[in-house]
Structures are given as structure tokens and as C-alpha cells.
Amino acid sequence: MTSDVTIVGAGISGLACARALHDAGRTVRVLDRGRRPGGRLSSRTLDGRPVDLGASYFVVGDDDRFGAVVADWERRGLARPWTDTFQVIQDGGRPTPKTGPLRWAAPKGLRSLALDLADGLDVTSEHTVASVAPYRVDDAPAGEVVLALPAPQAARLHDPVPGAVQDWEPVIAVVLRWEARRWPADLHGAFVNGDPDVAFLADDGDRRGDGVPVLVAHTTGDRARRHLEDPDAAIAPVLAATRRLLGIDADPVATYAHRWTFARPAETTGEPFFRSPGLSACGDAWGQSSSVRTAWASGDALGRALAAG
């Protein structure tokens, strides 16, 4: 039997959309080419513990609907308040603290939040979709179709891409593990401005709450573009930059690199989602700014709109 809605993409936006439809009594299936749900809420188990490779944190802000979801995650131990203070490293200078919104993290990795959203839903992983059209996926009836994936990936499935076309920035996430912490305990995370190699640093043990001496560095877009075919080649320059920026005097004992060809949109549409008969779209390229909260809100809003008919 054909579902009311078929969603392509099991990141947080697609899962939020599916959850809203499911809760409204609609039948929905989610198709994703990845091994597990999560998309850019990606965590990988390295040395026996999850390390966040995609999104670094999330912010609740004034979104009451998302706030209720996060409150439930916190109650069940899936999410934890992390910090409201990051460091800013400007043009290679000394880190200086900057207070901002409260950032949240997940003790078991951010993917665990996606898996929680997926619980009880009809999600098929390792399923590669070749084409979509209004009410059809791979030339088969599919009900309403939702594309919940970056526009460059959506363009491979349908031309033109539903909604606005966005340029996307690549990132390579580099995991660096030491035997002991060699940076200040109050680092938490750092925005890096003016460096050609590193744009952001996160103390993964600090955000996870287990204190393991692991840093995750996100490259600049320029550095990522040089190494999309060989992400491991980004490790050496990123390590050198990280040691220089934080004054670390030793090499790590383990490293790992993960490529995100489409990590974040260069700009957003300002609209909550795109909807047209039979073929709609949602994700973090919609809304006012790209973020985990934006992705969830986009999918949730589209799901409620589709459920309302």
C-alpha cells in the first residue's frame, strides 16, 4: 500500500517531518542512502566512544515546539546543556571568551537524537533513490514526496530542484585524540577567524561530559575543497594549525577525517519550507539561518502542513 507521504532523507529535518505526520495519524515512510538515520547529525564510534563529526551542538532559542522536544530529551538523559561560552581566536591571536546562547550536546552523540526521532517510524536505510517526481519515487506511486536533503543532492533526483537553489560549503571534520588534555579546561569550543585551515574547534570530551582528551576541528571551506577526494590529506595541515592555535606541544595518538561535501548552505531562503502539490522540500537551508533547530523546525512545520491537507 502506498504511504500518504514518502520522505527522502533521514536527517533531523526529514525525521521531524515524518514524526509530525506520524503523530497526526498519516502513514509515512522515510528512505535514506546512509547506513543509519542522522544525516549531518553524525557520530562515529572511535576508540570505543561516539565522536560528533557533523553538527557540533544545537541551540533551542525561543522555539517552544523544539524546546519541548529538547526538554524531553534532557529528562531522558539524551541531551545536556553544554556551555554558553566559546572562545574566539582572531587572526592567530590568543583565545578570548565570548558569551552567547546556551549550546546543547548529547552524551551519546548527536546521532542518538536522530535515532530517537526515528523510533517507531518506517525508516529504510541503505536505500538509494534514483529519481523523484510529484507523487512518485523511482517511477512508483509514493504519495506526497518530500526532499529532506541538501539542494545539490536533490538536484540529482529532480530537475529543477524544488524551491530555491542554494550554494553549499564543504567541511572536513578532523578528530584529534591525545593521551591527556593539552588545552585549557575552559576552551569548550572556539570560533577561529582568519585561519586558512581551521574554522571551528570543539572539545569533544567536554561536550560529551566524559572528559576524554579529543578535539574535533572543522576546516574552512577552502581547505576542504582541496581534499574532497582525499580527506585524510587534510589531517596534517589541520593538526599543525590546531597545535599552533592552542599552543599544544605534542602530536595526538590518533586521528580521523570525515568529508562533508555539502556541510552547510551559503545562505538560507527565509521561508520555513517549500511546498507544491506532490513534491515539497525542507531542511536547514530554509528559515532564517542554518542550524539544527532550523532543520527540525522546517521539517516539523512541513509535516504539520502536509497533515493538515
Side-chain angles (χ1 to χ4, degrees):
M1 184 177 69
T2 302
S3 297
D4 295 331
V5 181
T6 298
I7 299 171
V8 181
I12 189 169
S13 186
L15 293 173
C17 184
R19 177 59 59 190
L21 286 158
H22 178 271
D23 291 349
R26 298 302 184 94
T27 58
V28 56
R29 62 172 179 158
V30 183
L31 307 176
D32 192 85
R33 68 178 184 175
R35 293 179 57 198
R36 303 173 71 196
R40 281 167 288 144
L41 289 193
S42 173
S43 307
R44 183 181 179 91
T45 300
L46 299 172
D47 299 317
R49 65 184 294 277
V51 179
D52 281 320
L53 300 175
S56 297
Y57 56 86
F58 64 90
V59 172
V60 177
D62 58 0
D63 188 323
D64 291 340
R65 290 184 59 83
F66 187 49
V69 173
V70 174
D72 180 60
W73 283 338
E74 183 183 19
R75 179 183 59 80
R76 292 186 287 129
L78 296 177
R80 62 185 288 267
W82 178 21
T83 182
D84 65 355
T85 303
F86 278 168
Q87 304 294 315
V88 175
I89 304 175
Q90 185 71 39
D91 296 326
R94 294 177 60 84
T96 58
K98 182 176 181 180
T99 302
L102 179 63
R103 283 90 173 185
W104 288 72
K108 297 179 181 180
L110 288 176
R111 188 194 295 275
S112 67
L113 306 182
L115 294 175
D116 185 67
L117 286 174
D119 186 41
L121 298 177
D122 180 2
V123 179
T124 301
S125 298
E126 298 184 290
H127 181 112
T128 299
V129 172
S131 65
V132 301
Y135 305 106
R136 303 188 72 81
V137 171
D138 291 337
D139 294 326
E144 292 274 356
V145 178
V146 172
L147 291 173
L149 65 171
Q153 294 177 324
R156 301 169 184 169
L157 308 181
H158 186 274
D159 186 23
V161 178
V165 177
Q166 301 90 21
D167 292 327
W168 286 66
E169 285 284 312
V171 165
I172 294 175
V174 177
V175 181
L176 306 168
R177 180 174 68 82
W178 278 264
E179 291 183 345
R181 180 176 275 102
R182 295 176 176 271
W183 53 90
D186 62 353
L187 175 71
H188 307 306
F191 297 112
V192 182
N193 299 322
D195 188 86
D197 300 311
V198 173
F200 181 75
L201 292 162
D203 184 334
D204 195 67
D206 183 65
R207 68 179 167 188
R208 185 74 8 85
D210 60 9
V212 173
V214 171
L215 291 175
V216 178
H218 285 191
T219 66
T220 62
D222 287 343
R223 172 54 71 183
R225 290 184 189 94
R226 301 182 196 179
H227 303 293
L228 289 178
E229 298 303 318
D230 182 14
D232 285 349
I235 293 175
V238 167
L239 172 58
T242 301
R243 289 187 54 180
R244 171 174 47 80
L245 291 165
L246 299 182
I248 297 174
D249 60 0
D251 279 338
V253 296
T255 61
Y256 178 82
H258 182 88
R259 171 187 62 209
W260 295 102
T261 304
F262 308 114
R264 55 177 174 261
E267 60 182 3
T268 56
T269 67
E271 301 296 327
F273 53 78
F274 173 82
R275 186 182 180 191
S276 66
L279 186 60
S280 301
C282 59
D284 61 324
W286 303 88
Q288 299 302 316
S289 62
S290 174
S291 67
V292 172
R293 176 182 59 188
T294 297
W296 183 92
S298 176
D300 177 67
L302 177 57
R304 288 186 286 118
L306 291 172

